[in-house]
Amino acid sequence: MFISLWEFFYGHFFRFWMKWLLRQMTGKCELQRIFDTYVGAQRTHRIENSLTYSKNKAAILFLMGKQTYQKGRE
């Protein structure tokens, strides 16, 4: 119960503000910070987690292995 509640608040509220604060302090987006900090499998795992929590529909579809094409592009 507590874990589900934490995941909800983390995914919908805390993560946004944490990302915004880190962006303001470092001047880098989340993926740039991951790329500069971690190497190997740890980097891959962190990027997958970042995409999993993303609200961007294209990132979610990419993570699921579905390819989408924009009109006029193939």
Side-chain angles (χ1 to χ4, degrees):
M1 170 77 176
F2 178 73
I3 293 173
S4 297
L5 193 60
W6 170 252
E7 286 178 353
F8 174 78
F9 282 112
Y10 176 75
H12 289 87
F13 302 107
F14 299 135
R15 187 170 186 275
F16 170 78
W17 290 109
M18 186 173 55
K19 283 175 53 176
W20 179 82
L21 182 64
L22 287 171
R23 173 73 178 213
Q24 298 303 311
M25 290 173 35
T26 64
K28 295 180 180 180
C29 73
E30 183 178 14
L31 293 177
Q32 288 174 323
R33 288 192 306 272
I34 291 170
F35 187 78
D36 291 345
T37 307
Y38 301 99
V39 295
Q42 204 174 30
R43 179 187 296 165
T44 304
H45 180 70
R46 299 250 179 186
I47 290 172
E48 287 176 350
N49 282 343
S50 174
L51 292 174
T52 300
Y53 282 110
S54 176
K55 292 181 181 177
N56 185 335
K57 300 289 182 193
I60 294 168
L61 291 173
F62 177 77
L63 186 64
M64 293 172 52
K66 297 179 181 176
Q67 295 181 351
T68 59
Y69 297 102
Q70 294 178 350
K71 282 187 175 181
R73 297 177 108 186
E74 294 191 48

